Amino acid sequence: FFKKCPFREEGGNHSTLMKTYEEKLKSFWLVLLALGLIAAFSTSAMAADVKVSGEFFVAGAYLDKTRLDKNTSTSDLSTALYYQRLRLKVDFIVSPGLTLTTRADILDRQWGTRTTASVQPYDSAGTRAENENIAIDWAYVTYVSPIGIIAAGAMNDYAWGTVFGDRSKPSLKITWTGIFGPVAVGLQTAQESEGSRSAVNTAGIQDKDASSIIAFVKYSFKAGSAGYLFRWNRNASNKNTLGLTVNTFSHCPYFQVKLGPVALEGEANYTHGSYDWEGSYTAKIDSYAAYLNANADFGIAYVGGTFAYLGGQINPGESSLHTRKTGILSGGIDWNPMLILWNYERSYQFGALSGNTTDGVGSNPNGMQNAWFFQVKGGVKPVEKLDINLAVSYANAVVKPANHLYNDYGWELDATATYKITNNLSYMLGAGYLFTGKYFKTTSDATELQNDYMLINKLTLT
């Protein structure tokens, strides 16, 4: 390069010319580097921000009785377990208004045991064995567009309004939400199962899917919110075997309001539709549920009450599906008003409670069904970080099933104490005692019943 430089041919000093060219080259590369940095920082990043949230808990629990009747080989069996779960949610914010969201259940298992169960828990996209390692439940993209918020992928479903009736589970959905001041409206379509013929379902047939269409409107105001959701579920998964297609139409209004120290919330569900057997029979669906909860917080102490109604089957003597359906609604697995009865965590870890037969209550994922439910509760906060709560609950079947002599589920007394160690770490001690009702005698009045109790302690990181 320097042998051919024009300054050498003109008789200039060689070393001086070399230094001059070196300085020019350095300046050139510095300018080029600066331009490159400007270009790099001006482009969109692959992931500008990552937000991680979730919950981890480890718990130990003791259940004194696994059955509620006496005089059988398994009546007096007690059980105790340690178990844990990490539920991790990660938001990849690709750019303002564009987010990829994922959620996974990690090491959801009992200590010292490892199942190989292929059964799929209701609230997960993975099998029980997969949840013991890692199961990814959510993966969806959200785009805040000029015409509304659009999301698509695997996301949460069957959760709306209050916690009552919620059966949170992952579904494959496309959603649109429009925000108009205090009013939000939305449309969603969900594909819950695919029955069409494919590479992974060679026995499938056309039009054997289970899918949903959802529409909602929600109004938010200073003291709370209110809304209405409509959902149409069409389930043709048994179309080729039973010739059965089920159509349900659900109407779900709710409200939440805070008036001074009093917080009120309520929700109702009316579901109608039909079970259609092609060319043979049609069974009508006509089911109701309602919920009301009130809490009054006076600082150091608080009191409250809960009422719930879940209709039962009005034709309990008819075992066939060919009958009017009035008891298909449930309180959901997210709503756990007691520690023993209708508690999803207790059911998932210990199994269903039963009486004289295998017919029990709270054998989730159904949650509470066919019940009048009443609860009175209260608590004190003697120090800022400690919350001591006591609840007394009673439940009675709305309709006595055909294979039962009595309606009374029983009384349950629950006490919990939760201490907030840090802003994100809390420790809970709890005890529940069930005064078993005669419902669990089922078909035999001679059956002797026994009460049950449960002890639990749980460390939770959020």
Side-chain angles (χ1 to χ4, degrees), residues 281 313-325 401-402:
Y281 201 90
Q313 183 60 30
I314 63 172
N315 304 110
E318 299 185 40
S319 59
S320 170
L321 289 173
H322 305 271
T323 184
R324 185 181 174 210
K325 298 296 180 182

Side-chain angles (χ1 to χ4, degrees), residues 21-33:
Y21 268 78
E22 286 175 357
E23 290 173 359
K24 290 180 180 293
L25 285 171
K26 287 179 181 177
S27 299
F28 170 77
W29 285 114
L30 285 172
V31 171
L32 188 62
L33 178 61

